[in-house]
Amino acid sequence: DQQVKQNSPSLSVQEGRISILNCDYTNSMFDYFLWYKKYPAEGPTFLISISSIKDKNEDGRFTVFLNKSAKHLSLHIVPSQPGDSAVYFCAASVRFYNQGGKLIFGQGTELSVKP
Amino acid sequence: DAGVIQSPRHEVTEMGQEVTLRCKPISGHDYLFWYRQTMMRGLELLIYFNNNVPIDDSGMPEDRFSAKMPNASFSTLKIQPSEPRDSAVYFCASSPPRRPYEQYFGPGTRLTVT
């Protein structure tokens, strides 16, 4: 039972354009969502997060959107750069009631930004 | 500022042998997590500690796996006996007080069991 799904295993985008990575979840108890970026032979790196009380969070070129009714979140990267090429993982958590540390990860989407 | 340190980076062992993976979390962090990444199952949480106490070990696959955190700066994940299906990349992560969801990952240990 996959509670967090990233249905696109890969995405290719031209440098300077927008990259949109999508994530769906099934557990309505999730109240905190995160995106991690992973380069080969390295561990995932925290990128950006959003609480369920918000619908948007922005940090520089990265914006995460949350649509709770659709149980969907997305990560927008504008403008995309070749250094953004990596695997992006969506993760979800139930922050309260002693479960805050338990992140459920999606399968990842490999983003390739072409010069 | 040192990140999460894991050792060894690569481990190749024969089926039936004991394997011990080591992790040093970031100083000041009080949460520590062990994850396993495989092609089939993706990145899955095995166990996590808070203040050296195991909080949730529901992801530990079976009794062959055990994890300890004897102090705030060291943790081990042991597999005994190892099996070929344990081959994976094992990540350790830590997070700061009151922010368990902002996890800082180590570089991982690639385990191959032949």
Side-chain angles (χ1 to χ4, degrees):
Chain A
D1 175 29
Q2 220 176 338
Q3 298 186 64
V4 179
K5 299 179 186 179
Q6 294 176 256
N7 292 317
S8 298
S10 63
L11 175 68
S12 184
V13 170
Q14 206 68 30
E15 180 180 6
R17 307 296 289 267
I18 184 171
S19 296
I20 299 177
L21 298 103
N22 294 303
C23 178
D24 297 295
Y25 62 96
T26 57
N27 189 344
S28 57
M29 294 293 292
F30 288 144
D31 59 2
Y32 203 75
F33 303 88
L34 308 93
W35 285 93
Y36 280 79
K37 178 169 73 172
K38 184 183 182 303
Y39 293 117
E42 295 183 11
T45 303
F46 170 71
L47 192 57
I48 192 169
S49 62
I50 187 168
S51 164
S52 60
I53 62 173
K54 296 185 177 181
D55 54 19
K56 176 182 173 181
N57 187 28
E58 193 171 349
D59 184 1
R61 297 186 297 114
F62 302 91
T63 302
V64 56
F65 294 93
L66 175 62
N67 182 334
K68 283 190 298 182
S69 61
K71 293 191 176 69
H72 177 84
L73 67 156
S74 61
L75 175 69
H76 293 210
I77 306 173
V78 184
S80 301
Q81 299 173 354
D84 297 329
S85 297
V87 177
Y88 289 78
F89 291 96
C90 165
S93 171
V94 178
R95 270 201 299 181
F96 301 106
Y97 196 58
N98 203 33
Q99 288 290 307
K102 192 165 187 174
L103 293 184
I104 308 298
F105 282 85
Q107 292 289 84
T109 296
E110 184 171 9
L111 173 65
S112 176
V113 180
K114 301 194 181 302
Chain B
D1 191 16
V4 174
I5 298 172
Q6 291 186 248
S7 63
R9 292 294 309 274
H10 301 273
E11 176 81 35
V12 180
T13 191
E14 291 184 348
M15 183 174 67
Q17 296 297 305
E18 177 180 297
V19 174
T20 300
L21 311 182
R22 296 172 176 80
C23 175
K24 177 178 170 54
I26 294 172
S27 176
H29 285 192
D30 63 357
Y31 284 88
L32 184 136
F33 307 83
W34 283 102
Y35 286 88
R36 177 172 68 175
Q37 185 181 27
T38 61
M39 287 294 293
M40 290 298 295
R41 301 177 65 89
L43 193 60
E44 53 180 344
L45 177 68
L46 300 177
I47 185 171
Y48 80 93
F49 297 83
N50 180 220
N51 291 318
N52 314 336
V53 176
I55 302 300
D56 187 332
D57 65 354
S58 60
M60 295 286 263
E62 48 197 275
D63 292 344
R64 297 184 298 107
F65 285 70
S66 62
K68 293 182 180 179
M69 192 165 186
N71 57 61
S73 58
F74 184 66
S75 177
T76 59
L77 178 67
K78 186 176 293 187
I79 308 172
Q80 166 63 19
S82 57
E83 297 182 2
R85 60 192 168 119
D86 301 330
S87 297
V89 180
Y90 291 81
F91 290 104
C92 176
S94 68
S95 60
R98 297 177 300 282
R99 301 176 77 84
Y101 37 85
E102 291 186 6
Q103 298 175 16
Y104 294 78
F105 282 74
T109 294
R110 180 173 294 277
L111 174 65
T112 303
V113 184
T114 60

